[in-house]
PDB file of all heavy atoms in Angstrom:
ATOM      1  N   VAL A 689      -0.431  16.938  13.619  1.00 98.00           N
ATOM      2  CA  VAL A 689      -1.667  16.397  13.066  1.00 98.00           C
ATOM      3  C   VAL A 689      -2.306  15.521  14.134  1.00 98.00           C
ATOM      4  O   VAL A 689      -1.639  14.659  14.719  1.00 98.00           O
ATOM      5  CB  VAL A 689      -1.412  15.577  11.788  1.00 98.00           C
ATOM      6  CG1 VAL A 689      -2.707  14.918  11.318  1.00 98.00           C
ATOM      7  CG2 VAL A 689      -0.854  16.468  10.685  1.00 98.00           C
ATOM      8  N   THR A 693      -8.193  12.476  13.711  1.00 96.00           N
ATOM      9  CA  THR A 693      -9.048  13.245  12.812  1.00 96.00           C
ATOM     10  C   THR A 693      -8.358  13.665  11.517  1.00 96.00           C
ATOM     11  O   THR A 693      -9.032  14.039  10.559  1.00 96.00           O
ATOM     12  CB  THR A 693      -9.554  14.515  13.516  1.00 96.00           C
ATOM     13  OG1 THR A 693      -8.418  15.360  13.834  1.00 96.00           O
ATOM     14  CG2 THR A 693     -10.291  14.165  14.801  1.00 96.00           C
ATOM     15  N   GLY A 694      -7.026  13.654  11.485  1.00 96.00           N
ATOM     16  CA  GLY A 694      -6.291  14.149  10.329  1.00 96.00           C
ATOM     17  C   GLY A 694      -6.241  15.654  10.240  1.00 96.00           C
ATOM     18  O   GLY A 694      -5.781  16.216   9.234  1.00 96.00           O
ATOM     19  N   VAL A 695      -6.654  16.358  11.280  1.00 98.00           N
ATOM     20  CA  VAL A 695      -6.654  17.818  11.307  1.00 98.00           C
ATOM     21  C   VAL A 695      -5.276  18.331  11.710  1.00 98.00           C
ATOM     22  O   VAL A 695      -4.661  17.819  12.651  1.00 98.00           O
ATOM     23  CB  VAL A 695      -7.718  18.353  12.285  1.00 98.00           C
ATOM     24  CG1 VAL A 695      -7.606  19.868  12.441  1.00 98.00           C
ATOM     25  CG2 VAL A 695      -9.105  17.977  11.805  1.00 98.00           C
ATOM     26  N   ILE A 696      -4.784  19.340  10.989  1.00 98.00           N
ATOM     27  CA  ILE A 696      -3.541  20.013  11.361  1.00 98.00           C
ATOM     28  C   ILE A 696      -3.856  21.110  12.372  1.00 98.00           C
ATOM     29  O   ILE A 696      -4.780  21.910  12.168  1.00 98.00           O
ATOM     30  CB  ILE A 696      -2.837  20.630  10.143  1.00 98.00           C
ATOM     31  CG1 ILE A 696      -2.483  19.553   9.116  1.00 98.00           C
ATOM     32  CG2 ILE A 696      -1.585  21.395  10.576  1.00 98.00           C
ATOM     33  CD1 ILE A 696      -1.870  20.124   7.844  1.00 98.00           C
ATOM     34  N   HIS A 697      -3.075  21.150  13.438  1.00 98.00           N
ATOM     35  CA  HIS A 697      -3.149  22.233  14.412  1.00 98.00           C
ATOM     36  C   HIS A 697      -1.768  22.873  14.508  1.00 98.00           C
ATOM     37  O   HIS A 697      -0.758  22.160  14.566  1.00 98.00           O
ATOM     38  CB  HIS A 697      -3.568  21.726  15.789  1.00 98.00           C
ATOM     39  CG  HIS A 697      -4.935  21.096  15.828  1.00 98.00           C
ATOM     40  ND1 HIS A 697      -6.089  21.829  15.822  1.00 98.00           N
ATOM     41  CD2 HIS A 697      -5.309  19.788  15.850  1.00 98.00           C
ATOM     42  CE1 HIS A 697      -7.132  21.015  15.862  1.00 98.00           C
ATOM     43  NE2 HIS A 697      -6.683  19.769  15.875  1.00 98.00           N
ATOM     44  N   TRP A 710      -3.950  27.625  15.016  1.00 98.00           N
ATOM     45  CA  TRP A 710      -4.447  27.528  13.653  1.00 98.00           C
ATOM     46  C   TRP A 710      -4.931  26.106  13.376  1.00 98.00           C
ATOM     47  O   TRP A 710      -4.464  25.151  13.984  1.00 98.00           O
ATOM     48  CB  TRP A 710      -3.339  27.914  12.666  1.00 98.00           C
ATOM     49  CG  TRP A 710      -2.997  29.371  12.713  1.00 98.00           C
ATOM     50  CD1 TRP A 710      -2.224  30.006  13.645  1.00 98.00           C
ATOM     51  CD2 TRP A 710      -3.432  30.375  11.802  1.00 98.00           C
ATOM     52  NE1 TRP A 710      -2.139  31.345  13.368  1.00 98.00           N
ATOM     53  CE2 TRP A 710      -2.859  31.610  12.236  1.00 98.00           C
ATOM     54  CE3 TRP A 710      -4.220  30.368  10.652  1.00 98.00           C
ATOM     55  CZ2 TRP A 710      -3.083  32.804  11.569  1.00 98.00           C
ATOM     56  CZ3 TRP A 710      -4.430  31.562   9.978  1.00 98.00           C
ATOM     57  CH2 TRP A 710      -3.873  32.761  10.432  1.00 98.00           C
ATOM     58  N   ARG A 711      -5.861  25.985  12.404  1.00 98.00           N
ATOM     59  CA  ARG A 711      -6.451  24.685  12.099  1.00 98.00           C
ATOM     60  C   ARG A 711      -6.681  24.556  10.596  1.00 98.00           C
ATOM     61  O   ARG A 711      -7.146  25.494   9.942  1.00 98.00           O
ATOM     62  CB  ARG A 711      -7.778  24.531  12.834  1.00 98.00           C
ATOM     63  CG  ARG A 711      -8.555  23.261  12.463  1.00 98.00           C
ATOM     64  CD  ARG A 711      -9.915  23.221  13.127  1.00 98.00           C
ATOM     65  NE  ARG A 711     -10.689  22.080  12.636  1.00 98.00           N
ATOM     66  CZ  ARG A 711     -11.205  21.124  13.397  1.00 98.00           C
ATOM     67  NH1 ARG A 711     -11.033  21.158  14.704  1.00 98.00           N
ATOM     68  NH2 ARG A 711     -11.897  20.138  12.860  1.00 98.00           N
ATOM     69  N   SER A 712      -6.339  23.373  10.066  1.00 98.00           N
ATOM     70  CA  SER A 712      -6.662  23.038   8.685  1.00 98.00           C
ATOM     71  C   SER A 712      -7.264  21.645   8.651  1.00 98.00           C
ATOM     72  O   SER A 712      -6.667  20.698   9.158  1.00 98.00           O
ATOM     73  CB  SER A 712      -5.423  23.093   7.787  1.00 98.00           C
ATOM     74  OG  SER A 712      -5.738  22.656   6.474  1.00 98.00           O
ATOM     75  N   ASP A 713      -8.435  21.517   8.052  1.00 97.00           N
ATOM     76  CA  ASP A 713      -9.110  20.228   7.941  1.00 97.00           C
ATOM     77  C   ASP A 713      -8.814  19.522   6.626  1.00 97.00           C
ATOM     78  O   ASP A 713      -9.303  18.409   6.399  1.00 97.00           O
ATOM     79  CB  ASP A 713     -10.626  20.430   8.066  1.00 97.00           C
ATOM     80  CG  ASP A 713     -11.021  20.955   9.430  1.00 97.00           C
ATOM     81  OD1 ASP A 713     -11.233  20.132  10.333  1.00 97.00           O
ATOM     82  OD2 ASP A 713     -11.094  22.183   9.598  1.00 97.00           O
ATOM     83  N   ASP A 714      -8.044  20.172   5.746  1.00 96.00           N
ATOM     84  CA  ASP A 714      -7.812  19.637   4.402  1.00 96.00           C
ATOM     85  C   ASP A 714      -6.339  19.651   4.028  1.00 96.00           C
ATOM     86  O   ASP A 714      -5.969  19.961   2.902  1.00 96.00           O
ATOM     87  CB  ASP A 714      -8.639  20.409   3.373  1.00 96.00           C
ATOM     88  CG  ASP A 714      -8.538  21.928   3.558  1.00 96.00           C
ATOM     89  OD1 ASP A 714      -7.541  22.384   4.172  1.00 96.00           O
ATOM     90  OD2 ASP A 714      -9.444  22.638   3.096  1.00 96.00           O
ATOM     91  N   LEU A 715      -5.486  19.301   5.011  1.00 95.00           N
ATOM     92  CA  LEU A 715      -4.036  19.187   4.809  1.00 95.00           C
ATOM     93  C   LEU A 715      -3.429  20.439   4.195  1.00 95.00           C
ATOM     94  O   LEU A 715      -2.571  20.377   3.324  1.00 95.00           O
ATOM     95  CB  LEU A 715      -3.729  17.952   3.950  1.00 95.00           C
ATOM     96  CG  LEU A 715      -4.080  16.601   4.588  1.00 95.00           C
ATOM     97  CD1 LEU A 715      -3.714  15.447   3.657  1.00 95.00           C
ATOM     98  CD2 LEU A 715      -3.393  16.430   5.935  1.00 95.00           C
ATOM     99  N   GLY A 716      -3.902  21.595   4.663  1.00 96.00           N
ATOM    100  CA  GLY A 716      -3.263  22.853   4.306  1.00 96.00           C
ATOM    101  C   GLY A 716      -3.938  23.660   3.226  1.00 96.00           C
ATOM    102  O   GLY A 716      -3.517  24.785   2.940  1.00 96.00           O
ATOM    103  N   ALA A 717      -4.993  23.141   2.611  1.00 96.00           N
ATOM    104  CA  ALA A 717      -5.663  23.890   1.548  1.00 96.00           C
ATOM    105  C   ALA A 717      -6.364  25.130   2.089  1.00 96.00           C
ATOM    106  O   ALA A 717      -6.421  26.170   1.420  1.00 96.00           O
ATOM    107  CB  ALA A 717      -6.660  22.997   0.815  1.00 96.00           C
ATOM    108  N   SER A 718      -6.922  25.061   3.289  1.00 97.00           N
ATOM    109  CA  SER A 718      -7.587  26.214   3.896  1.00 97.00           C
ATOM    110  C   SER A 718      -7.304  26.215   5.396  1.00 97.00           C
ATOM    111  O   SER A 718      -7.013  25.164   5.987  1.00 97.00           O
ATOM    112  CB  SER A 718      -9.095  26.166   3.633  1.00 97.00           C
ATOM    113  OG  SER A 718      -9.668  24.983   4.185  1.00 97.00           O
ATOM    114  N   TRP A 719      -7.412  27.408   5.993  1.00 97.00           N
ATOM    115  CA  TRP A 719      -7.016  27.576   7.389  1.00 97.00           C
ATOM    116  C   TRP A 719      -7.983  28.485   8.131  1.00 97.00           C
ATOM    117  O   TRP A 719      -8.579  29.388   7.551  1.00 97.00           O
ATOM    118  CB  TRP A 719      -5.615  28.184   7.488  1.00 97.00           C
ATOM    119  CG  TRP A 719      -4.529  27.291   6.973  1.00 97.00           C
ATOM    120  CD1 TRP A 719      -4.119  27.159   5.686  1.00 97.00           C
ATOM    121  CD2 TRP A 719      -3.753  26.381   7.741  1.00 97.00           C
ATOM    122  NE1 TRP A 719      -3.120  26.231   5.591  1.00 97.00           N
ATOM    123  CE2 TRP A 719      -2.862  25.731   6.831  1.00 97.00           C
ATOM    124  CE3 TRP A 719      -3.698  26.053   9.092  1.00 97.00           C
ATOM    125  CZ2 TRP A 719      -1.951  24.781   7.250  1.00 97.00           C
ATOM    126  CZ3 TRP A 719      -2.785  25.095   9.509  1.00 97.00           C
ATOM    127  CH2 TRP A 719      -1.922  24.471   8.596  1.00 97.00           C
ATOM    128  N   SER A 720      -8.092  28.258   9.426  1.00 96.00           N
ATOM    129  CA  SER A 720      -8.772  29.167  10.343  1.00 96.00           C
ATOM    130  C   SER A 720      -7.973  29.182  11.635  1.00 96.00           C
ATOM    131  O   SER A 720      -7.078  28.343  11.837  1.00 96.00           O
ATOM    132  CB  SER A 720     -10.211  28.715  10.614  1.00 96.00           C
ATOM    133  OG  SER A 720     -10.222  27.426  11.221  1.00 96.00           O
ATOM    134  N   HIS A 721      -8.243  30.126  12.505  1.00 95.00           N
ATOM    135  CA  HIS A 721      -7.544  30.113  13.783  1.00 95.00           C
ATOM    136  C   HIS A 721      -8.436  30.643  14.886  1.00 95.00           C
ATOM    137  O   HIS A 721      -9.420  31.349  14.634  1.00 95.00           O
ATOM    138  CB  HIS A 721      -6.223  30.892  13.714  1.00 95.00           C
ATOM    139  CG  HIS A 721      -6.370  32.375  13.589  1.00 95.00           C
ATOM    140  ND1 HIS A 721      -6.595  33.195  14.659  1.00 95.00           N
ATOM    141  CD2 HIS A 721      -6.305  33.182  12.504  1.00 95.00           C
ATOM    142  CE1 HIS A 721      -6.655  34.457  14.250  1.00 95.00           C
ATOM    143  NE2 HIS A 721      -6.492  34.474  12.943  1.00 95.00           N
ATOM    144  N   ASP A 762     -13.155  20.734  21.853  1.00 97.00           N
ATOM    145  CA  ASP A 762     -13.902  20.923  20.606  1.00 97.00           C
ATOM    146  C   ASP A 762     -12.979  21.151  19.408  1.00 97.00           C
ATOM    147  O   ASP A 762     -13.273  21.936  18.517  1.00 97.00           O
ATOM    148  CB  ASP A 762     -14.890  22.084  20.742  1.00 97.00           C
ATOM    149  CG  ASP A 762     -14.231  23.392  21.198  1.00 97.00           C
ATOM    150  OD1 ASP A 762     -12.982  23.481  21.153  1.00 97.00           O
ATOM    151  OD2 ASP A 762     -14.966  24.314  21.592  1.00 97.00           O
ATOM    152  N   GLY A 763     -11.847  20.445  19.415  1.00 95.00           N
ATOM    153  CA  GLY A 763     -10.955  20.498  18.261  1.00 95.00           C
ATOM    154  C   GLY A 763     -10.228  21.803  18.058  1.00 95.00           C
ATOM    155  O   GLY A 763      -9.814  22.109  16.940  1.00 95.00           O
TER     156      GLY A 763
END
Side-chain angles (χ1 to χ4, degrees):
V689 175
T693 63
V695 173
I696 300 176
H697 298 283
W710 291 78
R711 174 185 174 123
S712 175
D713 296 273
D714 47 22
L715 295 181
S718 60
W719 294 85
S720 61
H721 70 82
D762 54 14

